[in-house]
Every structure is written in structure tokens, then in C-alpha cells.
């Protein structure tokens, strides 16, 4: 199980392929990629800065990963999250889950993203057409996390 | 007790401070927050209902007890992903 928090870019396709490599027991791989959009909440977004809490970030992600492994029979799970300056179109986050059958992979991927959105210490600051602004947490994310 | 208190994101900007050492006796994070709210002006940002906190880098509630040497963090709702 892998957790990476990094400033550099990554290739989602390569991450997805690597999940399956050298394990022919894997029958299903589910991947989620989150991207920076160029428009949010009524404003054009020229870029963003992702702040985090070094130390806690890795611990919080590890805790989520362990919980997913306890709930579903997973063969591999990778969480990769970028920090620092990002431009529209760039991937921010990758969650890849491998299991023998699809249901566990689909559900675990959904779970990890819901928990990451509400429990991992990341904060987005957008550079918009009307100046910088901190992205506010959404109630819909909290509601989604409560499903589990 | 001595605490290492940290502030993140919008709170860090509003306070103009990313962290500080605080000495005193606090039964809980809520008690520490009450003390900080007694400071003037910008510190009112910590009165927000949606405030989140962590003790020793683990999310917790404001009721979490504190001990000497703890690292405490206050931050707004997280927005990663």
C-alpha cells in the first residue's frame, strides 16, 4: 500500500498500470483522478495553491488506507496527492485500488475519496479572476462521508 | 504545560502566524481555544463553528484533553481531493 504526497506532477495512466503489474491475482483495478478545473463557484480559476499539514497529512492518509483495507479484501491501494502550485488541467489526486473482484475496488475507491475530502489536512487556495480565495468545505462532501 | 500550537490555511493568513509555543494549564482544546479568543480582533476567526482541530497530528474534537508537550492545530474545513 502506497501513500505519496508530492509537489511534482504525475502520470495517472502510469500509476494505474503499475497497480496491476506483476500480480495476476488482480481481477479489478479502479482508479480515480481529480483534476484542477478552470472554473469554480462562479469564477474563472487561473491556478491554485494546495497547502497541507506536513506530518499529519501522511498519517491521516495512512489511517484512511488502513480502514479501507479492513473493510474490503484489497490487493493494492495507492493514494497520491499533490501539494503546492497547480494549474487548471493538472491532476491533483489519484486513488487506485486493486482487488480480485470489482465491487470491493469500486467501493473502496469511493470510500477513500470521501474520507480524504473530509479528513485529510489539505486546503485549496484558488487564484481567480477576482483575486485569491480559499475554497470552502462543502456540505455534500460531509454527507457523502457519512454514508460509510 | 507547554504546547506547540499551529494554525493553517485561512486561519494562518488571518492571524499572520503559523504557530507559537503556549504555556498554561488547559483541560482541553476547547479551553485553549477560549484563551485564544480572549485575544483581540483577528483571533475571532477561531470562533467559527466549522473549526477543525488536531492533537498530535490526529483529528479530534474540541473536547480532546491536553497534556504537556502536545502539538495542537487549528484549521478550517479541509478541502483536498
Amino acid at each position: 500500500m502506497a501513500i505519496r504526497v508530492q509537489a511534482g506532477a504525475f502520470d495517472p495512466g502510469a500509476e494505474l498500470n503499475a497497480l496491476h503489474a506483476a500480480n495476476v491475482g488482480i481481477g479489478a483495478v479502479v482508479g480515480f483522478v481529480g483534476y484542477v478545473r478552470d472554473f469554480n463557484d462562479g469564477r474563472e480559476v487561473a491556478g491554485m495553491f494546495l497547502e497541507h499539514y506536513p506530518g499529519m497529512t501522511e498519517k491521516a492518509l495512512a489511517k484512511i488506507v488502513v480502514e479501507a483495507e479492513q473493510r474490503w479484501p484489497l490487493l493494492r491501494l495507492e493514494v497520491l496527492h499533490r501539494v503546492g502550485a497547480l494549474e487548471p488541467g493538472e491532476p491533483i489526486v489519484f486513488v487506485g485500488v486493486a482487488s480480485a473482484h470489482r465491487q470491493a475496488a469500486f467501493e473502496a475507491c469511493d470510500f477513500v475519496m470521501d474520507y480524504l475530502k473530509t479528513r485529510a489536512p489539505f486546503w485549496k487556495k484558488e487564484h481567480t479572476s477576482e483575486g485569491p480565495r480559499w475554497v470552502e468545505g462543502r456540505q455534500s462532501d460531509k454527507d457523502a462521508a457519512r454514508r460509510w | 504545560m507547554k504546547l506547540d500550537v499551529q494554525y493553517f490555511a485561512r486561519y494562518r493568513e488571518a492571524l499572520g502566524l503559523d504557530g507559537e509555543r503556549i504555556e498554561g494549564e488547559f483541560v482541553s482544546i476547547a479551553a485553549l481555544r477560549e484563551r485564544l479568543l480572549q485575544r483581540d480582533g483577528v483571533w475571532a476567526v477561531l470562533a467559527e463553528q466549522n473549526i477543525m482541530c488536531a492533537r498530535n497530528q490526529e483529528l479530534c474534537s474540541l473536547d480532546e484533553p491536553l497534556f504537556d508537550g502536545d502539538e495542537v492545530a487549528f484549521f478550517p474545513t479541509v478541502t483536498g481531493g
Side-chain angles (χ1 to χ4, degrees):
Chain A
M1 305 297 150
I3 290 161
R4 279 151 64 198
V5 179
Q6 65 184 50
F10 65 90
D11 175 355
E15 299 298 333
L16 200 64
N17 286 333
L19 270 180
H20 178 256
N23 188 342
V24 289
I26 290 171
V29 172
V30 169
F32 172 83
V33 185
Y35 292 93
V36 182
R37 293 184 301 147
D38 64 355
F39 193 84
N40 185 35
D41 215 5
R43 289 191 201 171
E44 283 178 33
V45 176
M48 68 165 60
F49 189 89
L50 253 155
E51 179 171 332
H52 76 124
Y53 182 170
M56 179 174 167
T57 308
E58 293 80 1
K59 285 182 193 172
L61 294 176
K63 207 172 164 185
I64 295 167
V65 164
V66 165
E67 193 162 341
E69 288 172 337
Q70 286 168 350
R71 290 189 187 210
W72 291 275
L74 307 179
L75 295 170
R76 283 188 180 163
L77 173 49
E78 183 187 351
V79 179
L80 202 173
H81 205 296
R82 290 185 66 192
V83 293
L86 290 157
E87 291 179 10
E90 286 195 87
I92 305 178
V93 61
F94 172 82
V95 175
V97 187
S99 56
H101 303 287
R102 72 183 184 285
Q103 198 67 23
F106 271 127
E107 289 181 9
C109 190
D110 204 10
F111 166 85
V112 168
M113 273 311 300
D114 282 346
Y115 268 38
L116 184 154
K117 282 243 166 209
T118 51
R119 298 179 184 209
F122 294 101
W123 302 273
K124 289 179 184 142
K125 189 178 191 183
E126 294 175 336
H127 309 296
T128 78
S129 43
E130 292 163 60
R133 70 170 174 192
W134 290 98
V135 172
E136 294 297 324
R138 292 173 188 274
Q139 185 59 41
S140 57
D141 288 332
K142 285 185 187 171
D143 293 341
R146 274 197 206 101
R147 294 180 298 152
W148 308 103
Chain B
M1 62 174 70
K2 288 182 183 173
L3 302 170
D4 173 10
V5 185
Q6 303 196 15
Y7 312 103
F8 288 93
R10 185 162 47 77
Y11 295 171
R12 175 181 51 73
E13 277 190 353
L15 302 173
L17 191 66
D18 57 11
E20 61 182 315
R21 297 279 288 179
I22 293 180
E23 286 190 38
E25 294 306 313
F26 307 99
V27 291
S28 64
I29 293 183
L32 169 64
R33 181 195 190 201
E34 281 307 309
R35 173 74 62 83
L36 294 171
L37 286 173
Q38 287 169 10
R39 296 175 175 174
D40 288 341
V42 293
W43 291 87
V45 76
L46 297 184
E48 282 184 0
Q49 209 168 4
N50 288 336
I51 191 169
M52 293 180 78
C53 58
R55 175 176 162 261
N56 296 331
Q57 305 191 345
E58 286 225 26
L59 273 189
C60 62
S61 73
L62 289 164
D63 298 330
E64 182 81 1
L66 287 177
F67 300 93
D68 187 39
D70 279 350
E71 176 176 314
V72 182
F74 291 103
F75 43 85
T77 306
V78 298
T79 55

